[in-house]
Amino acid sequence: MGRNRRTVPTGRTGPITARTVRGTSPMTLHRADTYRLRFDRYLRQGTSIELPLERKDDLSPERYVWRSRRDEKVRPAHRANDGRIFSWSTPPETGHPGMEPDCRCVAVPHREGETEFAEHTFTSGLASSYGRWEDSDFVWHLFTGGGRTVTLEEIGHLREIAEYHAYSSGGDGAFRRLSDQIADAARDSTPGSVHHDFGKANDFGDVAFSHGNSTVAGAFDGTAERRGNMISIAGETNFNFYDVFTGPVDLRDFAA
């Protein structure tokens, strides 16, 4: 289960594109470490120095919205940060955008009631007290389990499947895609509520070969409140994982 919180424009505009401001803008202290890292790379590799500096006229310079490039090159931890609001004085565990080597993420100054942001986080526990199944365990269960359905928690794959789906599946992760889909549903919904069904097969072979192409389906239910030119959305998403294992030759199907 996940909780989604999002503020989006009421009109059908595209996603806000982060801008990298280049020039001679004064550098604040919280960007000094980023500049030092980029300058060190310039000396060693000749890499040009480009920094996501905030403008002098920003109305809310203390907080920013993390924007990633939303492609397969983005680190999973940075995908998890995408769309969230952070404070310059309290950096996330990853550090601020651009601080890690080769990070292309940028910080967009957050203006209350104007800047689009989204936050989708897990609310159900992902820990498991069971041992992690290997591919041989899937085959053993096929012949000895009597057709009994098992859960991801029972096979010790819950956290890996959930986090892979949320932050890596499809290149940009399901949380990012769902946030956009929920925003579109909110624009088309009756004011006060929003519902969105979803379901898609994804390749989970990176977690375990036996999973292969498995389906994750579910629904989002929440509220949508118009605030000026924006919509504030809050609610919960339920996810269900489906896979059917049919034989040791084809390890791509399994009930979990």
Side-chain angles (χ1 to χ4, degrees):
M1 179 180 295
R3 176 172 290 113
N4 182 279
R5 186 167 64 93
R6 185 179 178 93
T7 300
V8 300
T10 55
R12 284 189 168 278
T13 60
I16 294 176
T17 301
R19 290 197 304 168
T20 298
V21 181
R22 301 180 178 88
T24 58
S25 300
M27 181 174 295
T28 52
L29 290 177
H30 54 252
R31 305 308 293 157
D33 288 341
T34 301
Y35 181 82
R36 176 179 54 78
L37 291 172
R38 297 292 175 88
F39 184 68
D40 181 63
R41 286 172 50 202
Y42 168 74
L43 293 177
R44 291 184 291 106
Q45 304 174 10
T47 305
S48 61
I49 301 174
E50 296 180 357
L51 294 175
L53 299 174
E54 67 271 22
R55 301 190 305 262
K56 290 181 64 176
D57 60 348
D58 286 333
L59 300 180
S60 304
E62 175 56 24
R63 298 202 299 167
Y64 65 85
V65 178
W66 186 297
R67 297 280 190 228
S68 76
R69 294 299 181 91
R70 299 186 60 180
D71 58 29
E72 66 280 358
K73 295 181 180 180
V74 178
R75 298 170 173 87
H78 290 193
R79 291 195 189 108
N81 288 345
D82 186 45
R84 296 186 180 183
I85 296 177
F86 296 102
S87 170
W88 287 113
S89 61
T90 309
E93 293 183 2
T94 57
H96 296 302
M99 293 192 70
E100 293 192 8
D102 300 319
C103 174
R104 299 168 298 147
C105 301
V106 295
V108 178
H110 176 257
R111 298 182 179 86
E112 192 68 37
E114 297 181 18
T115 306
E116 179 180 354
F117 72 94
E119 181 177 344
H120 208 138
T121 56
F122 290 111
T123 56
S124 298
L126 301 180
S128 175
S129 59
Y130 297 87
R132 186 185 189 281
W133 280 25
E134 303 300 332
D135 290 322
S136 58
D137 296 307
F138 287 78
V139 178
W140 179 258
H141 181 76
L142 173 68
F143 290 109
T144 65
R148 182 179 69 88
T149 298
V150 294
T151 66
L152 289 173
E153 182 180 6
E154 286 181 89
I155 66 175
H157 289 201
L158 178 58
R159 179 178 296 279
E160 291 176 85
I161 289 288
E163 292 183 346
Y164 178 83
H165 184 60
Y167 305 126
S168 299
S169 65
D172 56 357
F175 276 4
R176 180 70 266 170
R177 296 191 301 274
L178 271 176
S179 292
D180 291 342
Q181 294 167 14
I182 292 168
D184 288 339
R187 295 185 181 104
D188 296 335
S189 298
T190 302
S193 65
V194 57
H195 175 85
H196 175 64
D197 294 307
F198 59 89
K200 182 181 179 182
N202 289 280
D203 186 357
F204 290 92
D206 286 346
V207 176
F209 179 79
S210 297
H211 288 303
N213 286 318
S214 308
T215 299
V216 176
F220 169 84
D221 286 287
T223 60
E225 178 184 354
R226 291 183 178 272
R227 297 179 180 176
N229 295 324
M230 307 292 285
I231 302 177
S232 178
I233 307 165
E236 289 191 341
T237 307
N238 287 297
F239 300 87
N240 295 288
F241 180 87
Y242 304 95
D243 200 0
V244 179
F245 182 82
T246 56
V249 175
D250 182 9
L251 294 177
R252 292 288 180 178
D253 300 315
F254 182 73

